[in-house]
Amino acid sequence: MKVAKFGGTSLASAEQIKKVCDIVTADPDRRLIVVSAPGKRSKEDIKVTDLLINLANKFIADGSAEEELKAVVARYNDIAEELGVPGEVVSVIEEDLRQRLAAGTANPDKFMDSLKAAGEDNCAKVVARYLSSKGYDAKYINPKDAGMILSDEFGNARVLPESYDKLKALGELPGILIFPGFFGYSEAGDVVTFPRGGSDITGSILAAAVNADVYENFTDVDSVYAANPNLIENPKAIPVFTYREMRELSYAGFSVLHEETLEPVYRKGIPVNIKNTNNPSAPGTLIVPKREVNNGPVVGIACDKGFCSLYISKYMMNREIGFGRKVLQILEDESISYEHTPSGIDNISVILREKQFDIATEERVTKRLKEELEVDDVFVGRNKALVMVVGEGMTHTIGLAVRATGALAKSGINIEMINQGSSEVSMMFGIDEADNVKAVKALYDEFFS
Ligand code: ASP
Protein backbone atom coordinates (compact mmCIF):
# COMPACT_ATOMS: atom_id res chain seq x y z
CA MET A 1 0.00 0.00 0.00
CA LYS A 2 1.19 3.48 -0.86
CA VAL A 3 0.16 6.64 0.93
CA ALA A 4 0.16 9.58 -1.49
CA LYS A 5 -0.11 13.17 -0.35
CA PHE A 6 -0.86 16.00 -2.76
CA GLY A 7 0.08 19.59 -1.91
CA GLY A 8 -1.88 22.78 -2.51
CA THR A 9 -0.58 23.54 -6.01
CA SER A 10 -1.59 19.99 -7.06
CA LEU A 11 -5.18 20.82 -6.10
CA ALA A 12 -5.32 24.49 -7.04
CA SER A 13 -7.70 24.04 -10.00
CA ALA A 14 -9.90 21.47 -11.72
CA GLU A 15 -7.08 20.83 -14.22
CA GLN A 16 -4.68 20.02 -11.37
CA ILE A 17 -7.23 17.83 -9.59
CA LYS A 18 -7.71 15.83 -12.79
CA LYS A 19 -3.94 15.21 -12.87
CA VAL A 20 -4.09 14.07 -9.24
CA CYS A 21 -6.90 11.64 -10.02
CA ASP A 22 -5.00 10.28 -13.05
CA ILE A 23 -1.96 9.69 -10.85
CA VAL A 24 -4.02 8.01 -8.13
CA THR A 25 -5.88 5.69 -10.47
CA ALA A 26 -2.75 4.78 -12.46
CA ASP A 27 -1.46 2.67 -9.57
CA PRO A 28 -3.77 0.33 -7.62
CA ASP A 29 -1.41 0.53 -4.61
CA ARG A 30 -2.18 4.22 -4.20
CA ARG A 31 -5.11 3.74 -1.86
CA LEU A 32 -4.71 6.19 0.95
CA ILE A 33 -4.66 9.72 -0.45
CA VAL A 34 -4.04 12.85 1.60
CA VAL A 35 -5.03 16.21 0.18
CA SER A 36 -4.12 19.80 1.06
CA ALA A 37 -6.49 22.70 0.52
CA PRO A 38 -6.43 24.24 -2.99
CA GLY A 39 -3.28 26.37 -3.26
CA LYS A 40 -2.17 29.14 -5.58
CA ARG A 41 -2.99 28.92 -9.30
CA SER A 42 -0.45 31.65 -10.07
CA LYS A 43 2.08 33.68 -8.14
CA GLU A 44 -0.47 36.42 -7.38
CA ASP A 45 -3.24 34.02 -6.32
CA ILE A 46 -4.28 33.40 -2.69
CA LYS A 47 -4.30 29.94 -1.10
CA VAL A 48 -7.70 28.76 0.18
CA THR A 49 -6.19 28.40 3.67
CA ASP A 50 -5.26 32.10 3.58
CA LEU A 51 -8.74 33.00 2.34
CA LEU A 52 -10.16 31.07 5.29
CA ILE A 53 -7.85 32.85 7.73
CA ASN A 54 -9.06 36.20 6.29
CA LEU A 55 -12.64 34.99 6.69
CA ALA A 56 -12.10 33.97 10.31
CA ASN A 57 -10.30 37.21 11.22
CA LYS A 58 -12.99 39.37 9.64
CA PHE A 59 -15.72 37.40 11.42
CA ILE A 60 -13.93 37.69 14.77
CA ALA A 61 -13.57 41.45 14.26
CA ASP A 62 -16.99 42.30 12.80
CA GLY A 63 -19.34 39.39 13.49
CA SER A 64 -19.96 38.96 9.76
CA ALA A 65 -17.82 38.38 6.68
CA GLU A 66 -20.02 37.80 3.62
CA GLU A 67 -17.40 39.01 1.08
CA GLU A 68 -14.71 36.76 2.54
CA LEU A 69 -17.13 33.82 2.62
CA LYS A 70 -18.01 34.42 -1.01
CA ALA A 71 -14.30 34.37 -1.97
CA VAL A 72 -13.86 30.87 -0.50
CA VAL A 73 -17.09 29.52 -2.00
CA ALA A 74 -16.11 30.97 -5.40
CA ARG A 75 -12.84 29.00 -5.40
CA TYR A 76 -14.71 25.75 -4.82
CA ASN A 77 -17.37 26.72 -7.30
CA ASP A 78 -14.77 27.20 -10.08
CA ILE A 79 -13.27 23.82 -9.29
CA ALA A 80 -16.58 21.94 -9.00
CA GLU A 81 -17.99 23.45 -12.19
CA GLU A 82 -14.96 22.56 -14.26
CA LEU A 83 -14.79 19.07 -12.80
CA GLY A 84 -18.45 18.57 -13.60
CA VAL A 85 -19.33 17.39 -10.10
CA PRO A 86 -22.95 18.05 -9.11
CA GLY A 87 -23.74 21.69 -8.24
CA GLU A 88 -25.11 20.83 -4.80
CA VAL A 89 -21.50 20.16 -3.68
CA VAL A 90 -20.91 23.89 -3.54
CA SER A 91 -24.04 24.58 -1.49
CA VAL A 92 -22.94 21.83 0.90
CA ILE A 93 -19.56 23.56 1.23
CA GLU A 94 -21.20 26.93 1.85
CA GLU A 95 -23.45 25.39 4.48
CA ASP A 96 -20.45 23.75 6.13
CA LEU A 97 -18.63 27.12 6.32
CA ARG A 98 -21.71 28.85 7.75
CA GLN A 99 -21.98 26.17 10.43
CA ARG A 100 -18.33 26.66 11.38
CA LEU A 101 -18.94 30.41 11.65
CA ALA A 102 -22.08 29.89 13.70
CA ALA A 103 -20.15 27.82 16.26
CA GLY A 104 -18.99 31.13 17.75
CA THR A 105 -15.79 33.03 18.42
CA ALA A 106 -15.74 32.76 22.21
CA ASN A 107 -12.44 30.91 21.89
CA PRO A 108 -10.80 32.60 18.87
CA ASP A 109 -8.03 29.99 18.52
CA LYS A 110 -10.58 27.16 18.40
CA PHE A 111 -12.71 29.14 15.95
CA MET A 112 -9.69 29.85 13.74
CA ASP A 113 -8.67 26.17 13.60
CA SER A 114 -12.16 25.07 12.68
CA LEU A 115 -12.16 27.54 9.76
CA LYS A 116 -8.62 26.68 8.63
CA ALA A 117 -9.45 22.97 8.55
CA ALA A 118 -12.37 23.61 6.18
CA GLY A 119 -9.91 24.01 3.27
CA GLU A 120 -8.62 20.46 3.40
CA ASP A 121 -11.91 18.94 4.57
CA ASN A 122 -13.95 20.26 1.67
CA CYS A 123 -11.20 19.59 -0.84
CA ALA A 124 -11.15 15.92 0.20
CA LYS A 125 -14.94 15.75 -0.29
CA VAL A 126 -14.68 17.26 -3.78
CA VAL A 127 -11.88 14.88 -4.84
CA ALA A 128 -13.79 11.85 -3.51
CA ARG A 129 -16.92 13.04 -5.31
CA TYR A 130 -15.02 13.50 -8.58
CA LEU A 131 -13.43 10.04 -8.44
CA SER A 132 -16.81 8.43 -7.65
CA SER A 133 -18.41 10.29 -10.55
CA LYS A 134 -15.77 8.67 -12.80
CA GLY A 135 -16.81 5.23 -11.54
CA TYR A 136 -14.03 4.60 -9.00
CA ASP A 137 -14.71 3.22 -5.55
CA ALA A 138 -13.51 6.30 -3.67
CA LYS A 139 -14.67 7.75 -0.38
CA TYR A 140 -13.98 10.69 1.89
CA ILE A 141 -12.61 9.73 5.30
CA ASN A 142 -13.53 11.82 8.32
CA PRO A 143 -10.39 12.20 10.50
CA LYS A 144 -12.55 12.05 13.64
CA ASP A 145 -14.06 8.68 12.71
CA ALA A 146 -10.66 7.40 11.60
CA GLY A 147 -9.01 8.35 14.92
CA MET A 148 -6.63 11.23 14.08
CA ILE A 149 -6.35 12.40 17.70
CA LEU A 150 -4.10 15.39 18.33
CA SER A 151 -2.91 17.45 21.29
CA ASP A 152 -5.20 20.39 22.05
CA GLU A 153 -2.69 23.00 20.87
CA PHE A 154 -4.63 25.04 18.34
CA GLY A 155 -2.53 25.77 15.25
CA ASN A 156 0.39 23.81 16.61
CA ALA A 157 -0.96 20.33 17.35
CA ARG A 158 1.02 17.12 17.63
CA VAL A 159 -0.28 13.62 17.09
CA LEU A 160 -1.12 11.60 20.21
CA PRO A 161 0.37 8.08 20.27
CA GLU A 162 -3.02 6.33 20.52
CA SER A 163 -3.89 7.58 17.02
CA TYR A 164 -1.62 5.06 15.36
CA ASP A 165 -3.53 2.01 16.55
CA LYS A 166 -6.84 3.54 15.51
CA LEU A 167 -5.63 4.74 12.09
CA LYS A 168 -4.13 1.33 11.34
CA ALA A 169 -7.62 0.07 10.45
CA LEU A 170 -7.60 2.29 7.33
CA GLY A 171 -5.22 -0.24 5.79
CA GLU A 172 -8.02 -2.81 5.75
CA LEU A 173 -10.69 -0.65 4.08
CA PRO A 174 -11.46 -1.28 0.39
CA GLY A 175 -11.27 1.32 -2.37
CA ILE A 176 -9.51 4.66 -2.60
CA LEU A 177 -9.61 6.62 0.65
CA ILE A 178 -9.41 10.41 0.48
CA PHE A 179 -8.18 11.83 3.76
CA PRO A 180 -8.03 15.58 4.43
CA GLY A 181 -4.61 16.73 5.65
CA PHE A 182 -3.62 19.38 8.18
CA PHE A 183 -6.07 18.68 11.02
CA GLY A 184 -7.44 16.19 13.46
CA TYR A 185 -9.46 16.29 16.66
CA SER A 186 -8.50 16.86 20.27
CA GLU A 187 -9.62 14.40 22.94
CA ALA A 188 -12.38 16.90 23.76
CA GLY A 189 -13.61 16.64 20.15
CA ASP A 190 -12.42 20.05 18.87
CA VAL A 191 -10.86 20.52 15.45
CA VAL A 192 -7.13 21.22 15.85
CA THR A 193 -4.63 21.93 13.11
CA PHE A 194 -0.96 21.20 12.70
CA PRO A 195 1.36 24.15 12.00
CA ARG A 196 1.04 25.69 8.50
CA GLY A 197 2.07 23.27 5.78
CA GLY A 198 1.04 20.40 8.05
CA SER A 199 -0.70 18.15 5.51
CA ASP A 200 2.74 16.62 5.00
CA ILE A 201 2.59 15.54 8.64
CA THR A 202 -0.85 13.92 8.15
CA GLY A 203 0.54 11.85 5.26
CA SER A 204 3.50 10.73 7.28
CA ILE A 205 1.35 9.70 10.26
CA LEU A 206 -0.95 7.68 8.00
CA ALA A 207 1.98 6.02 6.22
CA ALA A 208 3.41 4.97 9.59
CA ALA A 209 0.00 3.83 10.90
CA VAL A 210 -0.78 1.54 7.95
CA ASN A 211 2.88 0.55 7.56
CA ALA A 212 2.91 1.73 3.95
CA ASP A 213 5.57 0.55 1.51
CA VAL A 214 6.26 4.14 0.59
CA TYR A 215 5.01 7.63 1.42
CA GLU A 216 4.69 9.53 -1.84
CA ASN A 217 4.65 13.29 -1.43
CA PHE A 218 3.49 15.00 -4.61
CA THR A 219 4.42 18.63 -5.06
CA ASP A 220 5.35 20.95 -7.93
CA VAL A 221 9.06 20.28 -8.37
CA ASP A 222 10.82 17.37 -10.09
CA SER A 223 13.27 16.87 -7.32
CA VAL A 224 14.81 18.27 -4.17
CA TYR A 225 17.81 20.39 -5.00
CA ALA A 226 21.13 20.93 -3.25
CA ALA A 227 20.18 24.55 -2.53
CA ASN A 228 17.19 26.84 -2.80
CA PRO A 229 16.45 27.32 -6.56
CA ASN A 230 15.30 30.87 -5.80
CA LEU A 231 18.84 31.71 -4.71
CA ILE A 232 21.00 29.47 -6.90
CA GLU A 233 20.49 29.16 -10.63
CA ASN A 234 19.95 25.54 -11.69
CA PRO A 235 21.08 23.91 -8.46
CA LYS A 236 22.04 20.25 -8.57
CA ALA A 237 19.10 17.82 -8.23
CA ILE A 238 19.62 15.28 -5.45
CA PRO A 239 18.11 11.83 -6.14
CA VAL A 240 18.55 10.37 -2.63
CA PHE A 241 18.79 11.83 0.86
CA THR A 242 18.83 10.09 4.22
CA TYR A 243 16.26 11.05 6.85
CA ARG A 244 19.03 12.72 8.85
CA GLU A 245 20.13 14.85 5.91
CA MET A 246 16.62 15.90 5.05
CA ARG A 247 15.79 16.65 8.68
CA GLU A 248 18.83 18.94 8.98
CA LEU A 249 18.03 20.70 5.72
CA SER A 250 14.34 21.19 6.43
CA TYR A 251 15.22 22.50 9.89
CA ALA A 252 17.25 25.22 8.22
CA GLY A 253 14.69 26.32 5.71
CA PHE A 254 14.36 23.66 2.97
CA SER A 255 10.66 24.14 2.40
CA VAL A 256 9.94 21.01 0.37
CA LEU A 257 8.68 19.11 3.40
CA HIS A 258 7.32 20.48 6.65
CA GLU A 259 10.01 20.21 9.29
CA GLU A 260 8.01 17.75 11.42
CA THR A 261 7.10 15.44 8.55
CA LEU A 262 9.73 12.80 8.81
CA GLU A 263 9.35 11.74 12.44
CA PRO A 264 6.53 9.16 12.01
CA VAL A 265 8.00 7.52 8.89
CA TYR A 266 11.53 7.65 10.29
CA ARG A 267 10.44 5.54 13.26
CA LYS A 268 9.12 2.86 10.88
CA GLY A 269 11.86 3.15 8.23
CA ILE A 270 9.30 3.92 5.50
CA PRO A 271 10.89 5.61 2.46
CA VAL A 272 9.52 8.94 1.28
CA ASN A 273 9.36 9.71 -2.42
CA ILE A 274 8.98 13.36 -3.36
CA LYS A 275 7.42 13.59 -6.81
CA ASN A 276 5.99 16.16 -9.20
CA THR A 277 2.25 16.13 -9.97
CA ASN A 278 3.04 17.94 -13.22
CA ASN A 279 5.65 15.35 -14.24
CA PRO A 280 4.76 12.12 -12.45
CA SER A 281 7.05 9.90 -14.50
CA ALA A 282 10.16 11.67 -13.17
CA PRO A 283 11.70 9.55 -10.40
CA GLY A 284 11.75 12.45 -7.92
CA THR A 285 13.80 12.36 -4.76
CA LEU A 286 13.89 9.44 -2.35
CA ILE A 287 14.42 9.83 1.39
CA VAL A 288 15.70 6.63 2.97
CA PRO A 289 17.24 5.40 6.23
CA LYS A 290 20.68 4.77 4.68
CA ARG A 291 22.33 5.58 1.36
CA GLU A 292 25.61 4.97 -0.37
CA VAL A 293 27.82 8.01 -0.26
CA ASN A 294 29.04 8.34 -3.83
CA ASN A 295 28.28 11.96 -4.69
CA GLY A 296 30.72 13.86 -2.53
CA PRO A 297 30.66 14.76 1.13
CA VAL A 298 28.02 17.50 0.97
CA VAL A 299 24.43 17.07 -0.33
CA GLY A 300 22.85 20.39 0.52
CA ILE A 301 23.27 23.95 1.71
CA ALA A 302 20.39 25.53 3.63
CA CYS A 303 19.88 28.80 5.39
CA ASP A 304 17.13 30.05 7.67
CA LYS A 305 16.56 33.48 9.12
CA GLY A 306 14.72 34.65 12.24
CA PHE A 307 17.10 33.58 14.98
CA CYS A 308 18.54 35.50 17.90
CA SER A 309 21.26 34.73 20.40
CA LEU A 310 21.18 35.25 24.13
CA TYR A 311 24.80 35.73 25.20
CA ILE A 312 25.63 35.21 28.88
CA SER A 313 29.04 35.47 30.53
CA LYS A 314 30.23 34.99 34.10
CA TYR A 315 33.77 34.63 35.32
CA MET A 316 34.45 30.97 36.42
CA MET A 317 31.15 29.81 34.89
CA ASN A 318 32.66 26.39 34.14
CA ARG A 319 33.06 25.65 37.88
CA GLU A 320 29.52 26.59 38.85
CA ILE A 321 27.44 23.46 39.20
CA GLY A 322 23.94 23.74 37.70
CA PHE A 323 24.54 27.03 35.86
CA GLY A 324 23.37 25.77 32.46
CA ARG A 325 20.31 24.13 33.98
CA LYS A 326 19.29 27.32 35.72
CA VAL A 327 19.59 29.31 32.49
CA LEU A 328 17.44 26.79 30.66
CA GLN A 329 14.96 26.70 33.55
CA ILE A 330 14.37 30.44 33.14
CA LEU A 331 13.64 29.84 29.44
CA GLU A 332 11.38 26.91 30.30
CA ASP A 333 9.43 29.10 32.72
CA GLU A 334 8.75 31.37 29.71
CA SER A 335 7.69 28.34 27.56
CA ILE A 336 10.59 28.96 25.18
CA SER A 337 12.32 26.09 23.40
CA TYR A 338 15.97 26.63 22.57
CA GLU A 339 17.80 25.63 19.40
CA HIS A 340 21.52 25.46 20.26
CA THR A 341 23.81 26.31 23.13
CA PRO A 342 27.37 26.94 21.90
CA SER A 343 29.57 27.68 24.88
CA GLY A 344 33.01 28.83 25.99
CA ILE A 345 34.70 28.45 29.39
CA ASP A 346 33.02 31.44 30.97
CA ASN A 347 30.20 32.12 28.53
CA ILE A 348 27.26 30.46 26.92
CA SER A 349 25.04 31.56 24.04
CA VAL A 350 21.55 30.24 23.67
CA ILE A 351 20.22 30.38 20.12
CA LEU A 352 16.47 30.93 19.95
CA ARG A 353 13.82 31.46 17.31
CA GLU A 354 13.24 35.20 17.40
CA LYS A 355 9.44 34.88 17.21
CA GLN A 356 9.46 33.31 20.70
CA PHE A 357 11.54 36.09 22.22
CA ASP A 358 9.91 39.52 22.02
CA ILE A 359 11.30 42.54 23.83
CA ALA A 360 9.10 42.08 26.91
CA THR A 361 10.27 38.47 27.27
CA GLU A 362 13.86 39.57 26.74
CA GLU A 363 13.54 42.06 29.60
CA ARG A 364 12.09 39.49 31.99
CA VAL A 365 14.72 36.86 31.14
CA THR A 366 17.61 39.33 31.33
CA LYS A 367 16.43 40.61 34.72
CA ARG A 368 16.25 37.09 36.16
CA LEU A 369 19.67 36.15 34.77
CA LYS A 370 21.21 39.20 36.42
CA GLU A 371 19.42 38.83 39.74
CA GLU A 372 19.29 35.07 40.21
CA LEU A 373 22.47 33.94 38.44
CA GLU A 374 24.49 37.11 39.04
CA VAL A 375 25.94 37.00 35.53
CA ASP A 376 28.63 39.52 34.54
CA ASP A 377 27.20 40.27 31.17
CA VAL A 378 24.10 39.42 29.16
CA PHE A 379 23.00 40.70 25.78
CA VAL A 380 20.74 39.68 22.93
CA GLY A 381 21.82 39.73 19.28
CA ARG A 382 18.90 39.85 16.87
CA ASN A 383 18.44 39.29 13.10
CA LYS A 384 20.65 36.22 12.90
CA ALA A 385 20.64 33.49 10.28
CA LEU A 386 21.88 29.91 10.47
CA VAL A 387 23.50 28.49 7.38
CA MET A 388 24.06 24.75 7.23
CA VAL A 389 26.27 22.46 5.20
CA VAL A 390 24.82 18.94 5.28
CA GLY A 391 25.91 15.50 4.10
CA GLU A 392 26.42 11.98 5.44
CA GLY A 393 29.74 11.94 3.55
CA MET A 394 31.07 14.67 5.82
CA THR A 395 31.76 12.10 8.55
CA HIS A 396 35.52 11.52 8.80
CA THR A 397 36.24 13.77 5.81
CA ILE A 398 39.15 16.02 6.64
CA GLY A 399 39.27 19.66 5.58
CA LEU A 400 35.57 20.49 5.16
CA ALA A 401 35.51 23.14 7.88
CA VAL A 402 38.42 24.95 6.33
CA ARG A 403 36.71 24.90 2.94
CA ALA A 404 33.43 26.20 4.37
CA THR A 405 34.97 28.92 6.53
CA GLY A 406 37.34 29.88 3.70
CA ALA A 407 34.41 30.30 1.30
CA LEU A 408 32.55 32.49 3.81
CA ALA A 409 35.70 34.52 4.51
CA LYS A 410 36.31 35.12 0.79
CA SER A 411 32.80 36.57 0.58
CA GLY A 412 33.51 38.89 3.50
CA ILE A 413 31.05 37.15 5.85
CA ASN A 414 31.68 37.26 9.58
CA ILE A 415 30.99 33.94 11.33
CA GLU A 416 29.49 34.56 14.76
CA MET A 417 29.00 30.95 15.78
CA ILE A 418 30.17 27.53 14.57
CA ASN A 419 28.43 24.33 15.59
CA GLN A 420 29.18 20.76 14.56
CA GLY A 421 27.63 17.85 16.38
CA SER A 422 29.70 14.72 16.86
CA SER A 423 27.56 12.93 14.24
CA GLU A 424 29.43 15.16 11.75
CA VAL A 425 26.44 15.07 9.41
CA SER A 426 26.19 18.86 9.38
CA MET A 427 28.09 22.02 10.11
CA MET A 428 26.26 25.14 11.14
CA PHE A 429 27.34 28.75 11.03
CA GLY A 430 25.60 31.65 12.75
CA ILE A 431 25.79 34.79 10.63
CA ASP A 432 24.11 38.13 10.25
CA GLU A 433 20.73 37.82 8.51
CA ALA A 434 21.77 40.35 5.87
CA ASP A 435 24.48 37.93 4.65
CA ASN A 436 22.20 34.94 4.13
CA VAL A 437 22.06 34.92 0.32
CA LYS A 438 25.76 35.62 -0.05
CA ALA A 439 26.54 32.78 2.35
CA VAL A 440 24.46 30.20 0.47
CA LYS A 441 26.06 31.23 -2.83
CA ALA A 442 29.59 31.08 -1.39
CA LEU A 443 29.07 27.60 0.09
CA TYR A 444 27.24 26.27 -2.97
CA ASP A 445 30.10 27.41 -5.22
CA GLU A 446 32.64 25.81 -2.92
CA PHE A 447 30.98 22.40 -2.70
CA PHE A 448 29.04 22.03 -5.96
CA SER A 449 30.53 24.16 -8.74
N1 ASP B 1 -3.38 24.19 3.74
C1 ASP B 1 -2.47 24.27 4.84
C2 ASP B 1 -1.53 25.46 4.66
O1 ASP B 1 -1.65 26.19 3.69
C3 ASP B 1 -1.75 22.99 5.08
C4 ASP B 1 -1.00 22.42 3.91
O2 ASP B 1 -1.18 22.82 2.77
O3 ASP B 1 -0.18 21.51 4.13
O4 ASP B 1 -0.69 25.67 5.49
Side-chain angles (χ1 to χ4, degrees), residues 5 7-8 36-37 47 49-50 116 120 182 195-200:
K5 179 257 169 179
S36 281
K47 285 170 132 194
T49 308
D50 291 313
K116 270 155 71 183
E120 272 64 17
F182 190 39
R196 291 297 305 269
S199 296
D200 283 340

Short mmCIF file of all heavy atoms in Angstrom, two decimals, residues 5 7-8 36-37 47 49-50 116 120 182 195-200, ligand 1:
data_model
loop_
_atom_site.label_atom_id
_atom_site.label_comp_id
_atom_site.label_asym_id
_atom_site.label_seq_id
_atom_site.Cartn_x
_atom_site.Cartn_y
_atom_site.Cartn_z
N LYS A 5 0.39 11.86 -0.80
CA LYS A 5 -0.11 13.17 -0.35
C LYS A 5 0.08 14.18 -1.48
O LYS A 5 1.13 14.20 -2.14
CB LYS A 5 0.65 13.61 0.90
CG LYS A 5 0.22 14.97 1.43
CD LYS A 5 1.22 16.06 1.07
CE LYS A 5 0.68 17.46 1.35
NZ LYS A 5 1.64 18.52 1.03
N GLY A 7 0.00 18.24 -2.49
CA GLY A 7 0.08 19.59 -1.91
C GLY A 7 -0.87 20.57 -2.59
O GLY A 7 -1.56 20.22 -3.56
N GLY A 8 -0.91 21.78 -2.07
CA GLY A 8 -1.88 22.78 -2.51
C GLY A 8 -1.83 23.11 -4.00
O GLY A 8 -2.88 23.24 -4.64
N SER A 36 -4.17 18.45 0.48
CA SER A 36 -4.12 19.80 1.06
C SER A 36 -5.35 20.56 0.59
O SER A 36 -6.13 20.06 -0.22
CB SER A 36 -2.90 20.54 0.54
OG SER A 36 -1.75 20.15 1.19
N ALA A 37 -5.46 21.80 1.06
CA ALA A 37 -6.49 22.70 0.52
C ALA A 37 -5.98 23.25 -0.82
O ALA A 37 -4.77 23.31 -1.04
CB ALA A 37 -6.70 23.85 1.50
N LYS A 47 -3.96 31.32 -1.49
CA LYS A 47 -4.30 29.94 -1.10
C LYS A 47 -5.65 29.93 -0.38
O LYS A 47 -5.95 30.87 0.38
CB LYS A 47 -3.29 29.44 -0.06
CG LYS A 47 -1.94 29.07 -0.57
CD LYS A 47 -1.03 28.86 0.63
CE LYS A 47 -0.27 27.56 0.46
NZ LYS A 47 0.38 27.11 1.67
N THR A 49 -6.42 28.29 2.21
CA THR A 49 -6.19 28.40 3.67
C THR A 49 -6.06 29.87 4.08
O THR A 49 -6.58 30.28 5.12
CB THR A 49 -4.93 27.62 4.09
OG1 THR A 49 -5.04 26.30 3.57
CG2 THR A 49 -4.75 27.57 5.60
N ASP A 50 -5.39 30.67 3.24
CA ASP A 50 -5.26 32.10 3.58
C ASP A 50 -6.60 32.83 3.44
O ASP A 50 -6.90 33.72 4.23
CB ASP A 50 -4.17 32.76 2.72
CG ASP A 50 -2.79 32.24 3.10
OD1 ASP A 50 -2.51 32.19 4.31
OD2 ASP A 50 -2.02 31.85 2.21
N LYS A 116 -9.79 27.09 9.42
CA LYS A 116 -8.62 26.68 8.63
C LYS A 116 -8.77 25.26 8.08
O LYS A 116 -8.42 24.96 6.95
CB LYS A 116 -7.35 26.75 9.49
CG LYS A 116 -6.66 28.11 9.43
CD LYS A 116 -5.83 28.38 10.68
CE LYS A 116 -4.59 27.55 10.80
NZ LYS A 116 -3.87 27.83 12.07
N GLU A 120 -8.97 21.85 3.70
CA GLU A 120 -8.62 20.46 3.40
C GLU A 120 -9.88 19.58 3.39
O GLU A 120 -10.06 18.72 2.53
CB GLU A 120 -7.66 19.92 4.48
CG GLU A 120 -6.19 20.14 4.28
CD GLU A 120 -5.72 21.58 4.28
OE1 GLU A 120 -6.45 22.47 4.73
OE2 GLU A 120 -4.60 21.81 3.79
N PHE A 182 -3.75 18.15 7.40
CA PHE A 182 -3.62 19.38 8.18
C PHE A 182 -4.36 19.43 9.51
O PHE A 182 -4.06 20.25 10.34
CB PHE A 182 -4.07 20.56 7.30
CG PHE A 182 -3.79 21.95 7.82
CD1 PHE A 182 -2.61 22.26 8.47
CD2 PHE A 182 -4.71 22.98 7.62
CE1 PHE A 182 -2.35 23.55 8.92
CE2 PHE A 182 -4.46 24.26 8.05
CZ PHE A 182 -3.28 24.55 8.71
N PRO A 195 0.85 22.87 12.50
CA PRO A 195 1.36 24.15 12.00
C PRO A 195 1.14 24.26 10.49
O PRO A 195 0.87 23.24 9.82
CB PRO A 195 2.85 24.09 12.32
CG PRO A 195 3.00 23.02 13.34
CD PRO A 195 1.88 22.07 13.15
N ARG A 196 1.23 25.47 9.94
CA ARG A 196 1.04 25.69 8.50
C ARG A 196 1.91 24.70 7.71
O ARG A 196 3.04 24.42 8.07
CB ARG A 196 1.41 27.13 8.12
CG ARG A 196 0.48 28.20 8.63
CD ARG A 196 -0.95 28.10 8.08
NE ARG A 196 -1.10 28.07 6.66
CZ ARG A 196 -1.26 29.12 5.87
NH1 ARG A 196 -1.30 30.33 6.42
NH2 ARG A 196 -1.43 28.99 4.56
N GLY A 197 1.35 24.25 6.61
CA GLY A 197 2.07 23.27 5.78
C GLY A 197 1.95 21.85 6.32
O GLY A 197 2.62 20.93 5.87
N GLY A 198 1.06 21.66 7.31
CA GLY A 198 1.04 20.40 8.05
C GLY A 198 0.35 19.22 7.39
O GLY A 198 0.32 18.14 7.98
N SER A 199 -0.13 19.35 6.16
CA SER A 199 -0.70 18.15 5.51
C SER A 199 0.39 17.11 5.27
O SER A 199 0.10 15.91 5.23
CB SER A 199 -1.33 18.52 4.17
OG SER A 199 -2.42 19.38 4.38
N ASP A 200 1.61 17.56 5.11
CA ASP A 200 2.74 16.62 5.00
C ASP A 200 2.80 15.71 6.23
O ASP A 200 3.12 14.53 6.13
CB ASP A 200 4.08 17.39 4.99
CG ASP A 200 4.38 18.05 3.67
OD1 ASP A 200 3.80 17.64 2.65
OD2 ASP A 200 5.23 18.98 3.65
N1 ASP B 1 -3.38 24.19 3.74
C1 ASP B 1 -2.47 24.27 4.84
C2 ASP B 1 -1.53 25.46 4.66
O1 ASP B 1 -1.65 26.19 3.69
C3 ASP B 1 -1.75 22.99 5.08
C4 ASP B 1 -1.00 22.42 3.91
O2 ASP B 1 -1.18 22.82 2.77
O3 ASP B 1 -0.18 21.51 4.13
O4 ASP B 1 -0.69 25.67 5.49
#
